[in-house]
């Protein structure tokens, strides 16, 4: 590939291709917390989050646009205050869910890098 | 395919056409418009008039916000006036964007008679001409569609692979401005257009209905005219090319200047920048216009009608159809003198 | 001076009920229960209307056949005279007497009429971008209902269960392009119910519902929506499908935007189901040459919706979905209500 420069960059699409979505993590999480799928994207959790996390947009990412290399970096700043859980009209245990998602992501990363689980 | 298409048929005048050329098609595919006139006059026996006084429709300027709408309308009303002065009332438009622009203007006048009156005033003031509207207005591909069976009856070739006996797999691409703004002005409407598939099937070929068939080629004047923005343009062509690739099409046919140009040229660019090739067996997919497609089945000399001016080589395709050509004369002028080969040619000949 | 009130016996009144869907059946049953003589018309040769083609009913998944049997059983009354296979096209109403016509032929006379002519499904071909009528694997919700009723194996290809299916909400509803601005109300819950049925029949099939807003308004509807999300893992994607096309495997490629993620999206499915809205029936009956319809929606216009279901002409009442999108229980209630209103009208005129 010569990679000749014509003075512009071919824009990569932003399209989510559900056909190649990896749903194993979502299914994994649903085994423990089935309720998380009942999210209606009302945004209450985002509005009250002191760490600036958009929990409601991480969930569809996990559900539809997840590939093994996708990270959910904003969840890292969660300090488990629990306010989101308090305001959730669907009764989703968001506080626990936050820990669970990060744990699952980390253990997948560990497996990929050959680090033994604790 | 579905009968539903039949609900989008339009009135196409049967003779006595006033032809308006495109600004850019004469550079992109210099043989195509003359070929169209020749087919109409000498193969179908129709009367076609061309006026040396007709000008650009200002479409490119209009779409890039350089020419104000009222100026565009005045220029367009002058084209209509020229036609009526010469005694014609059936306008045939070569360019899809001009066709879309004329349609849009006629629609605006219909809904806003005040505006129409104002433009008639501008026209009289600027040129002294009388304001008139065409009785029938169609795109050049509509005429070929109307006479597709007559062309098939006198055709020398079929769109069939002579080695396998299979119909050629042909991608049709309709310019956005042909029917997306006014579906009722396009044969087959906007979603399942019939105008080019009508030609393809009447001449023995087979249409490829691939997922991104209705997607824009990405040309878009704003996208293309600014160099940095061309990445948006090529990304759209790439979406289409990726989507059609598994079908291994033998060729593409497009009725719009920008589409035919960019589906052709961007294949070269994509190969240069990303190393991607979208045709079968490591070859790119030739792109022709509706007139050139008609010219090929009617047995015109490929170099006479300008097929050598396309970026993707057409020789493979000519061999498949069984069209004779002299490789020696590919880059010869009318007197047979060689005019030199394009610089990049060795690279993209796969 | 006091006038002596006429003593009225119910059976001195003849009432015509046009239509035999849930609203028409309920109207006929109620009118007969009051004691009026009922002439019951339907354009089809058997009663039940569209209920005949449904499989299970939302939200509790009763079998439509059982519900219909229950309805028609109660309609076996000596006071109800069935005139099925007769299409009433117009009513001429004068001096409290109504003449029913089937085109030019007079088919009956009565004191009051309840029109319960129902609705038609939106013709999905009009939304061309979905390719209904072009692609074999694009179907409508009533098509799917028939498939579920007559054998879901039709959804398999070469004996193999579908891998994925998508439902498009609001096809022919809330759409200015086609001049239908109203919400058909029942398509959301139909989509939810059918999605659940698909997940039950084919547990490995992924199901995507593309919606603008989920309007689960009825009793038990919201609960079913939540079950669909949580228990059945149906993917509800907020965004309207903009284009459907076919790929080489004859599967349907769907383009939409996931508006909650603000990203365009693509998914390939084995079947695309269009949840078609409700439009006025093409057999809507005219009264004294007038269509009596709401200029916005085309459904029958009630003279005073707060007061009852009477049309502008006294003595003529609307029941069920010919007056606007309605669920089966609502249509049945509306039929019962129309019968009582007709009785009140006849005894007080």
């Amino acid at each position: 590939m010569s990679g000749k420069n014509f003075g512009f960059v071919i824009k990569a699409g932003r399209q989510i291709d559900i056909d190649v979505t990896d749903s194993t993590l979502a299914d994994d999480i649903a085994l423990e917390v089935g309720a998380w799928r009942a999210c209606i994207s009302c945004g209450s959790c985002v509005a009250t989050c002191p760490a600036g996390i958009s929990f409601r947009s991480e969930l569809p990412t996990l559900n539809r646009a997840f590939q093994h290399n996708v990270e959910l970096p904003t969840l890292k700043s969660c300090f488990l205050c629990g306010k989101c859980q308090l305001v959730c009209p669907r009764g989703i245990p968001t506080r626990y869910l936050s820990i669970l998602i990060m744990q699952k992501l980390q253990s997948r990363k560990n497996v990929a890098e050959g680090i033994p689980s604790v | 395919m579905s009968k539903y298409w039949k609900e989008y048929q339009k009135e196409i005048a049967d003779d006595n056409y006033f032809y308006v050329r495109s600004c850019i098609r004469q550079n992109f595919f210099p043989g195509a418009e003359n070929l169209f006139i020749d087919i109409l006059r000498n193969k179908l026996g129709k009367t076609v008039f061309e006026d040396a006084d007709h000008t650009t429709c200002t479409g490119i300027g209009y779409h890039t916000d350089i020419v104000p709408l009222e100026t565009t309308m005045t220029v367009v009303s002058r084209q209509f006036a020229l036609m009526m002065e010469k005694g014609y009332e059936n306008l045939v438009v070569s360019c899809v964007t001009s066709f879309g622009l004329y349609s849009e203007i006629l629609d605006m006048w219909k809904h806003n008679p005040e505006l129409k009156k104002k433009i008639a005033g501008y026209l009289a003031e600027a040129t002294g001409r009388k304001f008139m509207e065409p009785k029938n207005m169609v795109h050049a591909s509509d005429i070929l569609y109307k006479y597709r069976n007559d062309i098939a009856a006198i055709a020398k070739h079929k769109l069939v692979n002579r080695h396998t006996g299979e119909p050629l797999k042909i991608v049709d691409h309709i310019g956005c401005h042909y029917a997306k703004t006014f579906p009722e002005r396009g044969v087959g409407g906007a979603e399942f257009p019939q105008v080019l598939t009508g030609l393809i099937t009447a001449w023995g070929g087979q249409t490829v209905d691939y997922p991104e068939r209705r997607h824009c080629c990405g040309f878009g004047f704003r996208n293309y005219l600014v160099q940095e923005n061309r990445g948006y343009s090529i990304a759209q062509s790439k979406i289409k090319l990726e989507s059609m690739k598994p079908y291994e099409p033998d060729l593409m046919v497009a009725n719009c200047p920008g589409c035919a140009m960019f589906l052709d040229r961007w294949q070269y660019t994509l190969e240069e920048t990303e190393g991607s090739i979208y045709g079968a067996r490591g070859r790119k997919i030739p792109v022709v216009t509706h007139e050139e497609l008609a010219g090929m089945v009617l047995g015109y000399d490929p170099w006479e009608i300008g097929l050598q001016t396309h970026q993707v080589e057409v020789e493979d395709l000519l061999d498949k159809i069984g069209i004779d050509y002299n490789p020696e004369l590919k880059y010869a002028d009318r007197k047979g003198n060689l005019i030199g080969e394009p610089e990049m040619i060795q690279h993209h000949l796969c | 001076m006091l006038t002596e009130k006429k003593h009225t016996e119910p059976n001195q009144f003849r009432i015509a009920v046009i239509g035999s869907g849930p609203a028409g059946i309920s109207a006929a049953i109620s009118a007969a229960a009051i004691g009026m003589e009922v002439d019951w018309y339907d354009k089809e040769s058997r009663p039940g209307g569209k209920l005949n083609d449904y499989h299970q009913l939302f939200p509790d998944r009763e079998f439509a056949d059982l519900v219909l049997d229950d309805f028609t059983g109660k309609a076996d009354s000596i006071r109800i005279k069935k005139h099925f296979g007769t299409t009433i096209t117009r009513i001429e109403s004068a001096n409290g007497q109504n003449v029913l016509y089937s085109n030019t032929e007079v088919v009956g006379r009565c004191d009051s009429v309840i029109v319960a002519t129902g609705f038609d499904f939106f013709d999905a071909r009009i939304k061309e971008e979905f390719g209904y009528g072009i692609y074999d694997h694009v179907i409508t919700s009533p098509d799917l209902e028939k498939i579920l009723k007559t054998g879901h194996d039709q959804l398999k290809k070469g004996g193999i269960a579908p891998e994925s299916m998508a439902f498009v909400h609001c096809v022919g509803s809330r759409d200015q392009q086609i001049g239908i601005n109203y919400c058909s109300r029942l398509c959301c819950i139909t989509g939810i119910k059918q999605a659940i049925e698909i997940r039950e029949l084919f547990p490995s099939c992924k199901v995507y519902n593309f919606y603008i807003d989920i309007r689960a308004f009825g009793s038990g509807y919201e609960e079913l929506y939540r079950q669909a999300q949580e228990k059945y893992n149906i993917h509800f994607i907020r965004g309207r499908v903009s284009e459907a096309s076919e790929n080489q495997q004859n599967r349907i490629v769907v383009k939409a935007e996931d508006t909650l993620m603000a990203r365009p999206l693509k998914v390939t499915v084995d079947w695309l189901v269009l949840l078609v809205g409700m439009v006025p029936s093409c057999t809507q009956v005219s009264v004294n040459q007038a269509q009596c319809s709401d200029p916005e929606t085309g459904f029958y216009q009630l003279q005073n919706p707060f007061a009852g279901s009477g049309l502008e002409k006294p003595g003529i009442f609307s029941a069920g979905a010919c007056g606007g999108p309605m669920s089966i229980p609502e249509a049945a209630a509306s039929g019962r209500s129309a019968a009582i209103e007709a009785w009140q009208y006849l005894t007080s005129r």
Side-chain angles (χ1 to χ4, degrees):
Chain A
M1 183 169 130
S2 59
K4 188 167 175 165
N5 185 357
F6 288 94
F8 55 85
V9 182
I10 301 175
K11 303 285 184 292
R14 297 176 57 249
Q15 190 180 55
I16 300 166
D17 186 351
I18 295 195
D19 298 341
V20 299
T21 296
D22 171 8
S23 64
T24 52
L25 180 61
D27 293 341
D28 233 20
I29 291 166
L31 284 179
E32 284 190 51
V33 187
W36 80 274
R37 287 191 158 129
C39 173
I40 48 169
S41 291
C42 71
S44 302
C45 52
V46 187
T48 55
C49 180
I53 300 167
S54 178
F55 207 76
R56 77 119 183 107
S57 58
E58 300 291 18
L59 294 184
T61 304
L62 198 61
N63 215 0
R64 298 200 269 283
F66 186 75
Q67 327 249 298
H68 66 275
N69 57 355
V70 168
E71 294 205 359
L72 303 171
T74 66
L75 282 187
K76 283 184 182 156
S77 40
C78 173
F79 48 82
L80 304 175
C81 73
K83 177 74 180 180
C84 49
Q85 191 163 323
L86 200 65
V87 295
C88 178
R90 300 293 261 189
I92 301 170
T94 51
R95 185 171 183 269
Y96 175 58
L97 199 52
S98 180
I99 307 172
L100 187 67
I101 294 170
M102 293 312 285
Q103 272 178 350
K104 298 268 182 200
L105 279 173
Q106 189 58 47
S107 67
R108 284 177 167 234
K109 211 172 160 189
N110 289 351
V111 170
E113 289 169 6
I115 302 168
S117 56
V118 187
Chain B
M1 294 285 285
S2 171
K3 290 175 192 142
Y4 192 60
W5 284 345
K6 289 187 180 148
E7 293 180 19
Y8 284 106
Q9 295 299 327
K10 65 183 199 181
E11 200 192 327
I12 303 167
D14 52 13
D15 202 351
N16 300 317
Y17 306 117
F18 185 88
Y19 185 54
V20 283
R21 290 194 184 228
S22 148
C23 304
I24 51 180
R25 297 189 84 227
Q26 296 172 67
N27 305 317
F28 291 176
F29 350 93
E33 291 184 332
N34 273 350
L35 172 63
F36 176 72
I37 294 172
D38 196 80
I39 291 172
L40 253 56
R41 285 186 184 149
N42 300 324
K43 304 283 182 190
L44 300 172
K46 306 292 171 192
T47 303
V48 189
F49 187 82
E50 267 204 287
D51 195 325
D53 287 338
H54 102 71
T55 65
T56 172
C57 71
T58 78
I60 296 176
Y62 169 66
H63 281 286
T64 48
D65 279 355
I66 294 166
V67 178
L69 178 63
E70 287 168 356
T71 310
T72 292
M73 285 187 169
T74 311
V75 172
V76 167
S77 69
R78 181 179 166 278
Q79 321 275 59
F80 295 161
L82 286 176
M83 172 172 71
M84 300 296 182
E85 284 165 20
K86 298 296 186 309
Y88 288 85
E89 44 192 16
N90 304 324
L91 188 70
V92 180
V93 188
S94 170
C95 169
V96 155
T97 286
S98 295
F99 175 72
L101 188 56
Y102 291 169
S103 301
E104 204 174 344
I105 287 175
L106 289 172
D107 194 68
M108 278 191 263
W109 287 347
K110 190 174 135 195
H111 292 101
N112 189 345
E114 286 299 308
L115 181 64
K116 183 160 134 180
K117 215 168 125 189
K118 192 160 89 178
I119 300 300
Y122 290 161
L123 178 72
E125 208 175 300
T127 69
R129 293 179 195 275
K130 198 167 163 235
F131 183 89
M132 283 152 164
E133 284 175 70
K135 188 175 153 206
N136 183 258
M137 185 187 70
V138 297
H139 183 255
S141 57
D142 294 329
I143 308 265
L144 293 179
Y145 174 80
K146 186 179 175 83
Y147 292 112
R148 64 196 186 284
N149 295 324
D150 303 72
I151 291 173
I154 54 169
K156 290 210 166 57
H157 304 287
K158 286 196 136 203
L159 297 172
V160 169
N161 185 330
R162 64 172 172 155
H163 305 300
T164 63
E166 295 286 317
L168 292 181
K169 287 177 281 181
I170 305 178
V171 161
D172 70 325
H173 181 82
I174 313 291
C176 293
H177 294 153
Y178 172 73
K180 283 180 189 162
T181 350
F182 300 101
E184 68 281 5
R185 286 182 193 261
V187 181
E191 297 288 348
F192 297 95
Q194 197 180 9
V195 61
L196 294 183
T197 66
L199 308 186
I200 292 166
T201 47
W203 302 341
Q206 176 194 330
T207 308
V208 177
D209 187 6
Y210 61 109
E212 296 292 357
R213 178 174 172 227
R214 291 167 262 167
H215 197 68
C216 169
C217 76
F219 172 35
F221 297 104
R222 284 158 193 271
N223 283 352
Y224 177 67
L225 290 173
V226 180
Q227 189 184 23
E228 285 77 3
N229 286 352
R230 287 179 196 164
Y232 294 107
S233 175
I234 195 168
Q236 305 315 310
S237 286
K238 190 177 155 186
I239 287 173
K240 290 188 75 75
L241 290 163
E242 279 177 350
S243 174
M244 72 177 76
K245 188 179 178 184
Y247 296 79
E248 304 195 336
D250 295 294
L251 85 143
M252 287 184 243
V253 55
N255 68 349
C256 168
C259 310
M261 166 83 171
F262 284 95
L263 289 170
D264 180 30
R265 305 309 200 257
W266 285 145
Q267 287 189 69
Y268 155 74
T269 313
L270 284 164
E271 189 189 357
E272 282 277 32
T273 52
E274 301 187 334
S276 320
I277 292 175
Y278 297 95
R281 295 176 303 283
R283 288 175 185 263
K284 295 198 274 292
I285 310 164
V287 186
V288 300
T289 71
H290 48 289
E291 305 100 332
E292 289 167 347
L293 192 71
M296 287 188 337
V297 300
L298 286 169
Y300 283 83
D301 182 322
W303 311 146
E304 279 285 313
I305 62 174
L307 293 187
Q308 69 276 50
T309 62
H310 295 294
Q311 191 106 20
V312 178
E313 308 281 325
V314 295
E315 279 88 337
D316 255 9
L317 174 66
L318 299 177
D319 290 337
K320 277 184 205 164
I321 303 176
I323 298 173
D324 283 335
Y325 60 93
N326 183 347
E328 308 280 311
L329 295 178
K330 185 172 181 185
Y331 297 111
D333 65 13
R334 292 197 159 232
K335 290 174 189 147
N337 301 318
L338 293 181
I339 55 172
E341 295 195 5
E343 216 173 287
M344 301 302 296
I345 200 81
Q346 287 313 316
H347 178 87
H348 70 268
L349 232 184
C350 307
Chain C
M1 194 178 107
L2 284 170
T3 52
E4 196 181 332
K5 196 170 164 66
K6 268 194 299 181
H7 180 71
T8 47
E9 285 299 331
N11 64 3
Q12 73 189 69
F13 296 120
R14 287 205 82 75
I15 182 164
V17 175
I18 307 170
S20 71
I25 293 180
S26 304
I29 294 170
S30 302
I34 291 168
M36 295 188 282
E37 296 295 329
V38 181
D39 283 314
W40 194 16
Y41 299 89
D42 197 286
K43 63 182 193 300
E44 303 297 335
S45 55
R46 59 172 180 174
K50 292 186 176 58
L51 201 46
N52 283 297
D53 299 324
Y54 296 164
H55 176 51
Q56 290 181 354
L57 306 179
F58 50 76
D60 295 328
R61 312 270 303 275
E62 299 95 341
F63 284 99
D65 284 346
L66 298 180
V67 173
L68 181 57
D69 286 349
D70 190 37
F71 268 131
T72 47
K74 288 179 187 151
D76 258 340
S77 154
I78 48 157
R79 295 203 185 280
I80 302 177
K81 288 191 183 59
K82 295 167 185 166
H83 310 273
F84 293 155
T86 308
T87 306
I88 306 296
T89 53
R90 64 189 175 96
I91 303 164
E92 289 300 328
S93 177
N95 308 322
Q97 271 297 309
N98 304 287
V99 185
L100 305 181
Y101 286 83
S102 180
N103 297 315
T104 52
E105 187 195 346
V106 176
V107 292
R109 292 168 200 279
C110 58
D111 302 298
S112 178
V113 186
I114 294 173
V115 282
T117 47
F119 67 97
D120 283 346
F121 286 109
F122 171 74
D123 179 359
R125 292 178 311 158
I126 294 168
K127 292 306 293 175
E128 289 171 61
E129 61 266 39
F130 301 134
Y132 181 69
I134 304 255
Y135 302 127
D136 291 343
H137 296 104
V138 178
I139 57 174
T140 63
S141 37
D143 293 341
L144 179 61
E145 203 61 36
K146 273 181 210 162
I147 289 173
L148 292 171
K149 184 169 182 156
T150 55
H152 61 264
D153 275 356
Q154 298 163 71
L155 295 171
K156 293 181 179 172
K157 286 181 202 167
I160 298 167
E163 273 173 48
S164 55
M165 269 175 87
F167 289 80
V168 188
H169 290 235
C170 298
V171 176
S173 296
R174 306 176 72 195
D175 187 345
Q176 197 139 15
Q177 288 266 357
I178 48 170
I180 299 178
N181 294 324
Y182 59 86
C183 165
S184 289
R185 302 169 80 234
L186 286 317
C187 336
C188 274
I189 192 65
T190 304
I192 290 166
K193 184 212 73 155
Q194 291 187 336
I196 289 176
E197 286 173 296
I198 294 299
R199 288 282 294 153
E200 284 179 351
L201 291 168
F202 309 111
S204 63
C205 179
K206 291 196 158 68
V207 177
Y208 306 92
N209 280 43
F210 290 91
Y211 67 95
I212 309 176
D213 296 300
I214 291 289
R215 296 186 165 176
F217 67 96
S219 169
Y221 293 6
E222 176 65 23
E223 291 80 350
L224 197 67
Y225 172 39
R226 179 161 183 144
Q227 264 192 46
Q229 288 181 300
E230 191 175 331
K231 182 173 165 199
Y232 291 96
N233 189 20
I234 289 155
H235 295 255
F236 286 87
I237 302 175
R238 186 176 176 278
R240 220 174 141 276
V241 169
S242 68
E243 199 175 287
S245 44
E246 207 174 54
N247 74 6
Q248 255 179 322
Q249 291 75 41
N250 298 329
R251 299 183 77 210
I252 303 296
V253 182
V254 171
K255 272 196 202 180
E257 192 205 358
D258 187 327
T259 60
L260 296 174
M261 293 179 72
R263 281 176 68 185
L265 166 154
K266 175 207 127 198
V267 64
T268 309
V269 295
D270 294 299
W271 295 92
L272 183 66
V273 184
L274 310 176
L275 297 165
V276 285
M278 297 159 86
V279 298
S281 168
C282 61
T283 52
Q284 208 146 305
V285 182
S286 69
V287 183
N288 293 356
Q289 313 290 336
Q291 284 307 318
C292 311
S293 52
D294 179 305
E296 288 286 313
T297 65
F299 289 106
Y300 280 120
Q301 189 163 34
L302 307 187
Q303 198 193 15
N304 179 359
F306 297 104
S309 54
L311 301 183
E312 202 179 331
K313 189 78 195 167
I316 301 185
F317 301 88
S318 156
C322 59
M326 234 177 241
S327 70
I328 291 170
E330 286 171 333
S334 146
R336 293 191 290 269
S337 154
I340 292 170
E341 287 176 52
W343 165 244
Q344 283 171 337
Y345 159 77
L346 291 170
T347 49
S348 63
R349 65 177 178 176

